[in-house]
Amino acid sequence: MQNPRCIVECLPPVEQARQLFDQFVQAIQPTLGVLHIPSVRVLMEETYRDISEGKEPSFPVVILLLSIYAGSTLVATSELLESLKATEKEARIAFATFTRLAIAMLDYPSRPIAPSTVALLAITTLCHVLTHADGFSDKIQALRMRAIFMARSMQIHRLDSPKGQEERKRTGYEIVEIEVQRRIWWHIVSSDWLISLSQGPQEGSYLLHPKHMRVNLPSNVDDESLATSGPDCGLPLTRPTSMSVFILRVQFAEICRQIVDAFSSMFLGENELPDYDIVLDLDRKLHNVLDSMPNFFRLDPEHVQQSRDIITERPYLAWQRIVGHLGIYTRICRLHRPYHREALVNPRFAYSRQACLHFAQRILDLRRTMDEASSTVGMKPSNYWMVMQHVFFAAMVLASDVSMNPGSPGADRRKQDVLIACKMLEQSQRLSTSLTEAIQRNTQTLMSILQSTQKEQQQPPRANLGASSHALPTSQGGAFSTSSSRFSQGEATRRVSAAEADVQQLHFSDNATTAGNNHMAWDATSTQPAGEESWGQLWSDLFAAAPEIDDIQWDLLLNDWDLAIDTGF
């Protein structure tokens, strides 16, 4: 930028920066895993030292730090806010500021970001944080593509080819940098494969093929031991490290890719389901992921008890364990969902219905246990978009079954679980515009079905769930555009001059009153509170109307769940 001081003025003071960094390590890094924490901590300290000496900081390093600070403010706890003497409102403003400036710096035409390991870390971290905040916007997909292109330009996809290994032996290399590149690559790849088995427009396709890469998995070793270890120093997966869940995530993603390949004709709209024996074989592979997990990742009571000492020593394992199982349970439901309704008329598919119900119920049960596990690592499950979308998916599975099978054993419990989940979702809508919009779109589908059965022809529009007098932010103005006078100086994502104006005015402890309609600022006033006629009430109405709903309407409901499944484990 023409005036680098504008960047410096937007960074939090060094003491606050250290607290934010620690919060990121505790709450975000366990679900990301690509950063080598000791190295990044050194970069942060060096950056602030350079600033104190009047030197211009490195663009890629600052983008990485801004992404880290954004992640910390996204999941800021009351304890952190108290320590920083900040309010939740100020944290939301800081989050919006950090993310907008990071993207403005990435897009600054006069200072293009050269490919580097730090630049890749910055893009990957920013993408991960924004996905937690608001799902899969076009901007996030563009960041993903940018990371892929940059990694390819650096030949990371050939990192461990014979030629690449020979070159390293000849010229020497830094163990930490090579390991971080492996982490970045496999995070990109596994996310690509997980997204391919997700509800949404990207479902059924992936970008990266395993035959087009030669990259070893990262070593199963803690960051603190990596720099002093030799090559190929990884421990067996039975030994817990900060990288254990990362490696398991890659293995799970490979099965998701296999499922997409097996279901290719269905994803292309050919109305042809795979042979059921193939489905059962894929189901066995998913269950094998659960059965072959190390003891400290198992969720049965016996192994939970056996791993208490390990969890006490490494509290993040409890959070990783729950999030990992949520991802697997959701994919098992997704595998069997096409056969769920068929089980009503064909006993051969009864197992699919049982699997959908069992694992959807497990998802909701796990959500109830997350508060205790998350408190040990300083986070709130309701702040995580990926957690709430798992709840959304499970609620849809159970609700559809109750509606199709109102008299089946256990239907009353499932009905109550759905309504409890609905209440939880309504309370979390203000944290995620995309979650709100997904609920609204599915609500419109529900209302259409109910109206066609003549159950709601005389009812007025539902408050907050159909057309609302408070318009939601749209992508037309840019995912990070703003409208308040405080932030009205232009699009920070496209014009650096606007970003400079922003950073000259905004600080972590800024007392600005609002972030306008920027949906990355979690503006709680952008939608009305859920009214008496809520999404849960609509499901209650649907339960009553179920006997009159025909097969075509059920296909519309079950095949149009417009909410993408996360890239978490």
Side-chain angles (χ1 to χ4, degrees):
M1 291 184 179
Q2 295 177 353
N3 179 15
R5 295 304 303 175
C6 65
I7 305 173
V8 174
E9 291 172 6
C10 196
L11 293 174
V14 64
E15 290 301 325
Q16 288 185 348
R18 289 167 180 155
Q19 290 176 286
L20 291 172
F21 188 89
D22 290 341
Q23 173 69 8
F24 182 93
V25 172
Q26 189 177 43
I28 301 292
Q29 173 70 357
T31 60
L32 175 60
V34 299
L35 275 66
H36 180 255
I37 296 302
S39 299
V40 179
R41 194 184 298 274
V42 168
L43 286 176
M44 180 182 68
E45 296 293 342
E46 289 178 345
T47 297
Y48 277 90
R49 185 169 60 250
D50 288 345
I51 290 171
S52 68
E53 296 174 355
K55 299 177 182 178
E56 180 178 344
S58 161
F59 252 45
V61 173
V62 171
I63 296 169
L64 174 58
L65 294 179
L66 288 169
S67 302
I68 289 171
Y69 302 153
S72 301
T73 51
L74 172 67
V75 296
T77 60
S78 57
E79 293 79 10
L80 177 63
L81 294 176
E82 182 179 356
S83 175
L84 295 171
K85 296 180 173 57
T87 65
E88 289 187 9
K89 191 174 191 177
E90 289 167 345
R92 292 195 293 268
I93 292 172
F95 172 74
T97 303
F98 294 147
T99 55
R100 292 206 329 273
L101 181 57
I103 290 180
M105 294 175 69
L106 280 172
D107 291 342
Y108 185 41
S110 299
R111 291 281 294 271
I113 303 298
S116 69
T117 302
V118 172
L120 267 176
L121 275 178
I123 296 171
T124 304
T125 302
L126 181 60
C127 187
H128 182 78
V129 168
L130 294 182
T131 301
H132 273 305
D134 221 22
F136 302 114
S137 68
D138 290 343
K139 189 65 181 181
I140 294 170
Q141 298 292 13
L143 286 172
R144 288 183 57 235
M145 293 302 300
R146 187 166 183 171
I148 291 173
F149 293 149
M150 184 177 287
R152 281 174 170 166
S153 73
M154 296 171 62
Q155 298 289 290
I156 293 180
H157 62 301
R158 301 174 180 174
L159 188 66
D160 293 305
S161 65
K163 182 178 179 181
Q165 293 177 341
E166 183 62 32
E167 180 69 15
R168 286 201 298 274
K169 290 179 181 178
R170 187 172 58 85
T171 61
Y173 62 97
E174 291 287 338
I175 292 176
V176 170
E177 182 168 15
I178 294 298
E179 275 297 296
V180 169
Q181 289 181 354
R182 287 177 179 138
R183 293 179 184 184
I184 293 171
W185 179 256
W186 280 110
H187 177 81
I188 292 171
V189 171
S190 57
S191 296
D192 181 42
W193 295 347
L194 289 168
I195 290 173
S196 72
L197 190 60
S198 302
Q199 197 72 18
Q202 73 291 325
E203 185 174 46
S205 64
Y206 51 87
L207 302 172
L208 301 167
H209 196 280
K211 291 185 178 180
H212 301 162
M213 62 187 78
R214 287 293 183 272
V215 185
N216 296 336
L217 285 175
S219 299
N220 185 38
V221 61
D222 288 318
D223 283 353
E224 294 75 15
S225 303
L226 182 58
T228 59
S229 304
D232 303 322
C233 60
L235 299 170
L237 283 178
T238 53
R239 297 276 299 277
T241 76
S242 58
M243 289 301 296
S244 299
V245 76
F246 186 101
I247 298 170
L248 290 171
R249 180 181 186 264
V250 175
Q251 295 173 352
F252 170 57
E254 165 62 21
I255 298 175
C256 292
R257 188 186 65 80
Q258 293 175 23
I259 293 173
V260 168
D261 288 344
F263 278 57
S264 58
S265 59
M266 184 188 72
F267 290 133
L268 292 174
E270 297 177 5
N271 296 321
E272 178 183 343
L273 293 177
D275 183 89
Y276 197 55
D277 289 336
I278 296 177
V279 174
L280 295 178
D281 182 59
L282 293 168
D283 175 84
R284 282 189 289 270
K285 290 184 178 182
L286 288 172
H287 277 81
N288 186 56
V289 173
L290 296 172
D291 296 338
S292 62
M293 280 185 173
N295 291 345
F296 49 86
F297 279 140
R298 303 283 289 274
L299 268 179
D300 58 280
E302 179 182 355
H303 287 100
V304 169
Q305 180 65 28
Q306 290 177 0
S307 60
R308 288 183 62 181
D309 291 342
I310 295 175
I311 298 299
T312 300
E313 179 185 349
R314 299 171 179 265
Y316 61 83
L317 290 175
W319 176 256
Q320 290 177 335
R321 180 168 62 187
I322 292 176
V323 172
H325 280 78
L326 281 175
I328 297 171
Y329 293 170
T330 301
R331 269 39 176 242
I332 293 176
C333 289
R334 183 68 189 92
L335 173 67
H336 289 282
R337 195 197 76 191
Y339 303 88
H340 184 177
R341 185 166 60 85
E342 294 296 321
L344 294 176
V345 295
N346 189 339
R348 185 188 180 200
F349 303 128
Y351 174 73
S352 286
R353 175 176 177 260
Q354 294 169 4
C356 284
L357 297 183
H358 175 74
F359 287 102
Q361 187 66 60
R362 291 294 301 274
I363 290 170
L364 298 185
D365 291 342
L366 275 182
R367 171 60 186 89
R368 298 185 187 106
T369 69
M370 291 187 81
D371 291 325
E372 179 180 354
S374 62
S375 65
T376 62
V377 289
M379 59 182 67
K380 296 179 181 178
S382 59
N383 283 359
Y384 283 80
W385 187 87
M386 69 173 189
V387 171
M388 300 318 299
Q389 63 180 333
H390 284 311
V391 172
F392 185 97
F393 188 88
M396 293 292 286
V397 170
L398 294 181
S400 61
D401 189 84
V402 172
S403 299
M404 291 185 292
N405 302 274
S408 63
D412 288 341
R413 181 199 171 183
R414 288 191 283 275
K415 182 176 180 180
Q416 291 304 312
D417 284 334
V418 168
L419 299 179
I420 292 171
C422 290
K423 182 177 180 180
M424 190 185 308
L425 288 163
E426 287 169 353
Q427 292 172 344
S428 297
Q429 284 187 64
R430 70 181 184 87
L431 299 176
S432 171
T433 298
S434 59
L435 181 62
T436 301
E437 291 175 341
I439 291 176
Q440 288 176 325
R441 285 190 292 268
N442 283 280
T443 296
Q444 291 170 358
T445 302
L446 297 181
M447 290 179 68
S448 175
I449 291 174
L450 290 171
Q451 288 168 355
S452 69
T453 59
Q454 299 182 349
K455 291 292 183 180
E456 291 203 340
Q457 290 181 345
Q458 305 303 319
Q459 293 196 18
R462 308 281 180 176
N464 188 43
L465 293 170
S468 171
S469 60
H470 292 259
L472 287 167
T474 68
S475 59
Q476 294 175 350
F480 301 88
S481 61
T482 56
S483 63
S484 83
S485 59
R486 184 71 172 178
F487 298 95
S488 61
Q489 314 232 6
E491 294 185 5
T493 60
R494 298 197 179 276
R495 295 185 305 178
V496 174
S497 59
E500 289 176 344
D502 282 345
V503 297
Q504 287 169 354
Q505 299 182 49
L506 296 174
H507 305 276
F508 179 69
S509 58
D510 199 316
N511 290 319
T513 58
T514 179
N517 288 329
N518 181 346
H519 70 256
M520 298 310 300
W522 310 341
D523 183 3
T525 65
S526 64
T527 56
Q528 298 174 350
E532 192 174 301
E533 294 181 320
S534 64
W535 194 57
Q537 180 60 46
L538 276 172
W539 272 114
S540 294
D541 295 343
L542 189 68
F543 293 152
E548 301 177 39
I549 298 176
D550 61 27
D551 288 351
I552 295 177
Q553 290 170 320
W554 276 119
D555 284 337
L556 173 65
L557 180 60
L558 295 177
N559 294 328
D560 194 30
W561 297 351
D562 197 2
L563 183 68
I565 302 171
D566 74 285
T567 59
F569 186 4

